[in-house]
């Protein structure tokens, strides 16, 4: 089986009942790559899972948290490419193969990312209102000439965050020292895309669902939406692109569309 210079970084947290399913989906890729696991909440469950699948295991010795763990995980990558695999999600067998192929056909790629679906009550689906909206938002990036357009990708991001973080493959040599800032609790990935979107190079979009994001009551996405914390952060992000009155209007509409992320 062909091996590529890529690392899946599994960010494990506490004792997720879905962690093993995530690992198995990475092991079933049509081409192979390295897999490592990082955590800031070390426990016997995570350690045993890493041992079972012979996955190198690293404990974040510094401050814990989403962005801290993501940055720590990326700091352990020694390959040319990397993907941050969220412990509750699954990847289609062709994810790695398709992403590497797309990158090889692009000029100076920064990231590549795919369409995605959701797992709701154990069932995979792509027929979700919010996902349909995101596909419309990403429509301009279906066209290869727009991959390198800073203007186009910033216009896409100015209307919300249609890029699914665990679907993203990073070209490590074009990443800053810290990809994610310890600033937000739910818009940390959108903030990263906004900063990367200012750089010269390509954002490569694959309009095919190559991974599935799990929606469940214990997920960070669901908890944050229920707490209402995302509204304030969304507004702050919209202000990076729009004057205050416009940002407030878009934020109101965007918040309504996010209701589909709730179970």
């Amino acid at each position: 089986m062909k091996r590529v210079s890529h690392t899946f970084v599994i960010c494990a947290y506490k004792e997720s009942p879905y962690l093993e399913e995530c690992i198995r989906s990475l092991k079933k890729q049509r081409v192979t790559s390295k897999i490592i696991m990082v955590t800031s909440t070390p426990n016997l469950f995570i350690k045993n899972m890493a041992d079972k699948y012979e996955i190198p295991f690293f404990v974040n010795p510094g401050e814990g948290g989403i962005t801290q763990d993501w940055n720590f995980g990326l700091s352990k990558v020694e390959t040319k490419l990397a993907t941050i695999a969220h412990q509750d999600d699954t990847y289609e067998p062709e994810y790695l193969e398709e992403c590497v192929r797309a990158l090889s056909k692009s000029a100076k790629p920064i990231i590549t990312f795919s369409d995605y679906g959701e797992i709701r009550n154990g069932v995979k689906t792509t027929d979700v209102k919010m996902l349909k909206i995101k596909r419309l938002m990403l429509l301009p990036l279906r066209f290869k000439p727009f991959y390198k357009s800073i203007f186009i990708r910033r216009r896409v991001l100015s209307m919300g965050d249609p890029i699914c973080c665990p679907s993203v493959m990073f070209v490590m040599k074009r990443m800053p020292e810290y990809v994610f800032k310890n600033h937000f609790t739910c818009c940390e990935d959108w903030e990263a895309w906004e900063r990367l979107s200012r750089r010269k190079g390509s954002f490569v979009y694959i309009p095919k669902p190559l991974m599935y994001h799990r929606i469940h009551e214990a997920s960070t996405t669901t908890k944050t939406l229920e707490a209402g914390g995302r509204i304030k952060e969304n507004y702050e992000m919209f202000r990076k692109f729009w004057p205050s009155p416009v940002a407030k209007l878009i934020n109101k509409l965007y918040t309504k569309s996010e209701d589909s992320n709730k179970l």
Side-chain angles (χ1 to χ4, degrees):
M1 185 180 290
K2 182 180 178 182
R3 187 175 183 86
V4 296
S5 183
H6 170 272
T7 302
F8 279 112
V9 180
I10 304 173
C11 289
Y13 179 70
K14 294 186 177 179
E15 298 183 8
S16 169
Y18 309 111
L19 176 57
E20 188 165 24
E21 187 177 351
C22 173
I23 294 172
R24 286 176 176 171
S25 75
L26 304 185
K27 290 284 189 177
K28 292 178 180 178
Q29 293 296 301
R30 290 179 181 171
V31 294
T32 63
S33 75
K34 290 183 65 176
I35 302 175
I36 64 173
M37 191 180 300
V38 302
T39 187
S40 57
T41 58
N43 57 60
L44 194 58
F45 172 81
I46 295 176
K47 181 65 168 60
N48 287 342
M49 201 63 69
D51 289 343
K52 178 179 179 179
Y53 289 95
E54 300 180 327
I55 297 173
F57 178 55
F58 302 95
V59 177
N60 181 0
E63 182 182 4
I66 294 177
T67 55
Q68 294 92 329
D69 285 357
W70 290 353
N71 286 326
F72 173 72
L74 290 176
S75 76
K76 295 298 180 182
V77 171
E78 298 176 344
T79 51
K80 295 178 180 179
L81 307 169
T83 299
I84 298 174
H86 297 192
Q87 65 180 4
D88 298 336
D89 301 340
T90 65
Y91 291 77
E92 295 298 281
E94 65 270 28
Y95 168 83
L96 184 53
E97 185 178 48
E98 295 260 4
C99 287
V100 171
R101 182 185 297 118
L103 286 175
S104 68
K105 296 179 180 180
S106 305
K108 197 179 178 181
I110 300 171
I111 59 172
T112 185
F113 58 96
S114 71
D115 190 2
Y116 71 105
E118 292 181 349
I119 303 174
R120 292 172 173 265
N121 298 316
V123 179
K124 290 182 176 180
T125 179
T126 57
D127 187 20
V128 179
K129 179 181 177 182
M130 187 60 175
L131 298 186
K132 292 177 180 179
I133 293 173
K134 288 185 176 185
R135 290 181 195 117
L136 285 175
M137 292 169 65
L138 288 167
L139 191 60
L141 289 178
R142 283 175 172 257
F143 301 96
K144 193 171 182 178
F146 289 155
Y147 285 180
K148 294 188 294 183
S149 173
I150 293 175
F151 174 80
I152 290 295
R153 61 181 177 242
R154 288 191 63 77
R155 296 291 66 76
V156 170
L157 290 169
S158 74
M159 300 305 294
D161 181 15
I163 300 175
C164 180
C165 185
S167 81
V168 174
M169 184 177 289
F170 301 90
V171 179
M172 295 304 294
K173 69 179 181 181
R174 298 199 173 97
M175 292 300 109
E177 182 179 3
Y178 298 106
V179 177
F180 301 96
K181 287 185 176 181
N182 182 22
H183 176 55
F184 289 135
T185 58
C186 56
C187 288
E188 63 283 334
D189 50 345
W190 188 4
E191 185 177 50
W193 316 147
E194 189 275 329
R195 284 186 289 111
L196 291 177
S197 74
R198 300 172 183 270
R199 299 189 167 209
K200 291 183 178 180
S202 299
F203 269 35
V204 182
Y205 172 50
I206 304 172
K208 177 180 178 181
L210 296 178
M211 56 83 56
Y212 284 80
H213 175 57
R214 193 181 303 273
I215 302 296
H216 59 97
E217 292 180 353
S219 71
T220 301
T221 301
T222 302
K223 285 184 175 180
T224 306
L225 287 171
E226 289 176 350
R230 195 156 198 163
I231 299 174
K232 182 179 179 181
E233 293 187 13
N234 283 345
Y235 172 69
E236 187 174 336
M237 283 304 304
F238 285 127
R239 284 289 286 119
K240 294 179 182 293
F241 304 97
W242 305 99
S244 181
V246 178
K248 286 181 179 177
L249 177 60
I250 298 175
N251 193 27
K252 186 176 181 180
L253 297 172
Y254 192 68
T255 299
K256 286 183 178 180
S257 69
E258 286 186 324
D259 286 342
S260 65
N261 276 325
K262 299 177 182 178
L263 284 175

